[in-house]
């Protein structure tokens, strides 16, 4: 991931230098002619930066895919990304196109929220009359989806993230946690959701797997688990929803795993709470544990510069 920051930083720092070069020619340019010359100068600098940057690719982008290459054709800066997936992923991209588009834009903001890179990117896009394009290819089918953004699109999404983070990032949370999976799904004791097979279902008493279904309620993401209650029952267990020891223990466990830590970071970005509910399949008893935003914030590993996105102002 650090290579991505370096690559993008190189590209756009080069652009800023090129875009700010004074016109040393004898002809003084005005109005539209001057803007066109500036745009062309920026694009020329970008082509050189892209050529050098592509030498550092491919590179994995967490929760997105593998960035294969970058190019500039006319006024469109394109990122080419491979996404591993099956028919469910293709269905998600086709039926939830706008949700995927916002999720990819959020990933773009996260990649460029360090130092002054974000501010430079928007400035360069505006000065160079550039558009951003994601070209995603689902592997192994080869199905291709394209998402295009203007500088205005990026700025408007950024403003929504700052003013109304829970609402603005709802689609991102849905994309990463809820959409693209067939529910109910099954999880092992500490694993991530996967589709249950006949063999796994038959082996339920040996492997202790639970049924899993997420949803959102207001500002909170709710993770609901149906436990088979093998050996022990939830019946008679006390209310743990506001138990501070249990809350801290669960948050700490989640923060120790890279995948669930990314979920914590995303929820903190969205100023969202997390509620975890366990329902006994035999007893019907439900135990809830609430992890409020204020607690998740303590375990968030994103720097303040990323959480507030100030560098895009």
């Amino acid at each position: 991931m650090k290579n991505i920051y370096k690559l993008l930083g190189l590209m756009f720092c080069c652009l800023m230098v090129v875009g700010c070069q004074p016109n040393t020619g004898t002809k003084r340019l005005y109005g539209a002619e001057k803007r066109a010359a500036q745009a062309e100068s920026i694009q020329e600098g970008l082509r050189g930066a892209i050529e050098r940057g592509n030498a550092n690719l491919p590179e994995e982008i967490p929760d997105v895919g593998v960035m294969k290459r970058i190019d500039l054709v006319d006024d469109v800066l394109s990122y080419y990304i491979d996404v591993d997936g099956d028919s469910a992923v293709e269905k998600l991209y086709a039926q939830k196109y706008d949700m995927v588009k916002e999720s990819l834009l959020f990933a773009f903001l996260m990649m460029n929220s360090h130092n002054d890179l974000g501010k430079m990117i928007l400035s360069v896009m505006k000065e160079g009359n550039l558009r951003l394009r994601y070209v995603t290819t689902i592997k192994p089918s080869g199905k291709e989806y394209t998402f295009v953004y203007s500088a205005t699109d990026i700025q408007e999404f950024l403003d929504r993230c700052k003013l109304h983070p829970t609402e603005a990032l709802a689609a991102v949370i849905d994309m990463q946690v809820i959409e693209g999976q067939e529910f109910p799904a099954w999880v092992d004791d500490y694993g991530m959701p996967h589709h249950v097979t006949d063999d796994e279902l038959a082996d339920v008493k040996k492997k202790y797997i639970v049924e899993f279904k997420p949803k959102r309620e207001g500002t909170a993401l709710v993770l609901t688990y149906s436990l088979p209650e093998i050996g022990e029952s939830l019946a008679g267990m006390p209310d743990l929803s506001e138990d501070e020891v249990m809350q801290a223990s669960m948050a700490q466990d989640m923060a120790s795993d890279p995948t669930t830590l990314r979920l914590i970071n995303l929820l903190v970005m969205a100023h969202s709470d997390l509620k975890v509910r366990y329902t006994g399949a035999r007893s019907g008893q439900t135990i809830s544990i609430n992890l409020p935003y204020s607690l998740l914030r303590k375990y968030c590993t994103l720097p303040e510069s990323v959480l507030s996105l100030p560098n895009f102002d």
Side-chain angles (χ1 to χ4, degrees):
M1 194 63 179
K2 291 181 179 179
N3 288 338
I4 285 290
Y5 299 143
K6 291 178 181 178
L7 180 150
L8 295 175
L10 170 66
M11 287 172 53
F12 288 101
C13 283
C14 289
L15 280 176
M16 289 303 292
V17 171
V18 173
C20 293
Q21 291 295 322
N23 180 16
T24 57
T26 57
K27 180 180 179 181
R28 181 178 292 274
L29 302 178
Y30 296 93
E33 188 179 9
K34 181 178 181 179
R35 289 192 295 271
Q38 289 175 334
E40 179 60 29
S41 177
I42 288 174
Q43 291 187 27
E44 283 299 319
L46 179 55
R47 290 186 183 95
I50 288 174
E51 184 178 351
R52 293 187 294 274
N54 275 329
N56 294 314
L57 298 179
E59 181 77 15
E60 177 77 26
I61 305 176
D63 299 319
V64 176
V66 177
M67 185 182 294
K68 304 293 288 186
R69 64 186 177 91
I70 305 170
D71 69 21
L72 177 67
V73 178
D74 296 328
D75 63 344
V76 180
L77 175 63
S78 298
Y79 291 68
Y80 295 85
I81 298 175
D82 284 353
V83 177
D84 289 330
D86 52 18
S87 59
V89 175
E90 290 189 21
K91 182 179 179 181
L92 172 64
Y93 271 63
Q95 296 185 355
K96 303 286 185 178
Y97 181 88
D98 290 341
M99 180 182 293
V100 176
K101 185 175 182 179
E102 287 210 344
S103 185
L104 290 174
L105 182 52
F106 176 74
F108 175 79
L109 294 180
M110 289 298 94
M111 282 193 295
N112 299 297
S113 294
H114 299 260
N115 303 318
D116 288 323
L117 186 54
K119 184 176 181 179
M120 287 190 290
I121 286 177
L122 278 181
S123 176
V124 166
M125 287 186 67
K126 291 174 182 177
E127 291 295 325
N129 295 319
L130 300 178
R131 289 175 293 159
L132 172 68
R133 183 176 71 152
Y134 273 109
V135 181
T136 61
T137 302
I138 310 297
K139 298 292 185 178
S141 71
K143 181 69 175 179
E144 189 174 282
Y145 294 88
T146 300
F147 307 87
V148 180
Y149 313 86
S150 66
T152 300
D153 293 333
I154 296 175
Q155 186 65 61
E156 288 179 350
F157 180 73
L158 174 67
D159 291 341
R160 286 194 288 120
C161 287
K162 286 188 170 186
L163 296 175
H164 308 287
T166 305
E167 177 184 333
L169 296 178
V172 179
I173 294 174
D174 285 355
M175 173 70 180
Q176 294 194 14
V177 182
I178 300 177
E179 298 291 344
Q181 298 195 60
E182 295 178 2
F183 292 109
W186 297 80
V187 294
D188 57 28
D189 242 348
Y190 300 101
M192 293 302 293
H194 62 277
H195 298 309
V196 65
T197 66
D198 290 339
D199 289 340
E200 288 172 328
L201 187 57
D203 209 24
V204 61
K205 291 185 179 181
K206 297 179 181 179
K207 292 189 175 180
Y208 189 76
I209 57 178
V210 299
E211 190 177 355
F212 168 76
K213 192 176 191 330
K215 62 179 180 179
R216 283 191 296 110
E217 291 181 358
T219 63
L221 172 67
V222 182
L223 304 181
T224 302
Y225 297 86
S226 178
L227 304 182
E229 293 183 297
I230 300 172
E232 296 184 5
S233 173
L234 296 184
M237 289 191 66
D239 178 18
L240 300 174
S241 59
E242 304 299 334
D243 186 292
E244 294 184 358
V245 174
M246 182 61 73
Q247 289 174 323
S249 177
M250 177 168 286
Q252 191 170 31
D253 284 346
M254 291 184 65
S256 66
D257 180 86
T259 301
T260 48
L261 176 59
R262 288 201 298 272
L263 174 60
I264 287 178
N265 289 342
L266 175 57
L267 292 173
V268 171
M269 285 288 299
H271 288 222
S272 294
D273 305 323
L274 176 64
K275 297 180 179 181
V276 184
R277 294 174 183 162
Y278 300 95
T279 300
R282 291 189 292 110
S283 68
Q285 178 76 20
T286 296
I287 301 296
S288 297
I289 302 174
N290 299 331
L291 305 181
Y293 162 77
S294 57
L295 175 62
L296 297 177
R297 180 68 180 84
K298 296 178 181 179
Y299 293 91
C300 177
T301 57
L302 296 176
E304 187 60 36
S305 61
V306 175
L307 289 174
S308 58
L309 297 173
N311 298 310
F312 282 84
D313 288 337

